[in-house]
Amino acid sequence: PHGIYSEENWDKVREVLVPIGADLGPADLDELLVDFPEEQRARVGGFVGAVFRFYADLGYAYLELNPFVAVGDEVVPLDAVARLDDTEAFWHAKDWGAVEFPSAFGGKLTDEERYITSLDEKSGASLKLTILNPGGRIWTMIAGGGASVIYADTVADLGHCDALANYGEYSGTPNTEETYLYARTILKLM
């Protein structure tokens, strides 16, 4: 594409679909680099391949370099947009550094939600808690993300949305201590 004007030039955008877990191979790069001068293809191809490995190895959800230029022996990105997914934070905390994710829809987390988030960040398991209605009479402690969604949907379908106090789940084989701390937090809230 032509730099910052890619939105106006979608017909010139080159796209290569790379299956999850696969590498971006030379044949894929050939397809991407068809509009580049022959003498730049190897250099730009090496850059694109390295950026793809960077993207995949560090758990990015989205990475755009637009535009980048080839100058002499260098390829230089002039602008970048990146998106990280907080579900990768556990695996890449050391690589990413002190990245803070905003709470959904700009809401403020309660002390209990912040506590469960901190447990989740230190665990390979998934521990989630959202307080919907602190005065609600239906409190859940569901093992499994899919089960928690089905349960919350069923409560809503039965007309008891206003009574649902929380949404959450613990899954991915949390250890005994994590499960205890999660349960203790729910019981405290009740």
Side-chain angles (χ1 to χ4, degrees):
H2 294 75
I4 60 172
Y5 303 107
S6 60
E7 288 79 11
E8 289 87 18
N9 292 286
W10 284 121
D11 59 319
K12 296 176 184 163
V13 170
R14 298 274 186 240
E15 184 177 282
V16 174
L17 299 177
V18 181
I20 293 173
D23 289 325
L24 188 62
D28 300 316
L29 291 173
D30 286 345
E31 186 179 331
L32 269 177
L33 303 173
V34 70
D35 290 335
F36 281 85
E38 185 70 39
E39 65 274 5
Q40 291 182 342
R41 288 184 189 170
R43 182 175 54 257
V44 173
F47 172 77
V48 171
V51 167
F52 178 77
R53 283 187 300 282
F54 171 84
Y55 161 84
D57 292 348
L58 291 177
Y60 277 77
Y62 178 83
L63 179 61
E64 174 184 335
L65 303 177
N66 181 25
F68 65 84
V69 295
V71 180
D73 290 338
E74 295 183 9
V75 178
V76 180
L78 300 178
D79 193 17
V81 175
R83 186 176 304 135
L84 298 173
D85 184 340
D86 66 349
T87 58
E88 285 285 316
F90 174 79
W91 303 109
H92 297 289
K94 215 167 45 171
D95 301 320
W96 293 353
V99 174
E100 290 192 30
F101 292 91
S103 54
F105 307 110
K108 299 285 184 204
L109 296 178
T110 66
D111 290 343
E112 294 84 2
E113 289 168 326
R114 226 178 345 273
Y115 176 67
I116 296 301
T117 298
S118 74
L119 289 177
D120 181 61
E121 289 169 352
K122 297 171 194 151
S123 172
S126 179
L127 303 163
K128 306 292 185 245
L129 176 65
T130 302
I131 306 302
L132 302 172
N133 174 11
R137 61 184 177 82
I138 301 173
W139 289 86
T140 65
M141 188 172 153
I142 309 296
S148 64
V149 171
I150 291 169
Y151 193 92
D153 284 349
T154 302
V155 169
D157 288 346
L158 294 172
H160 300 289
C161 254
D162 294 342
L164 190 58
N166 72 307
Y167 172 79
E169 53 107 352
Y170 66 105
S171 62
T173 320
N175 64 36
T176 302
E177 178 73 7
E178 292 166 337
T179 304
Y180 165 76
L181 295 171
Y182 186 85
R184 184 180 74 177
T185 303
I186 300 289
L187 292 170
K188 176 184 163 194
L189 286 163
M190 291 172 67

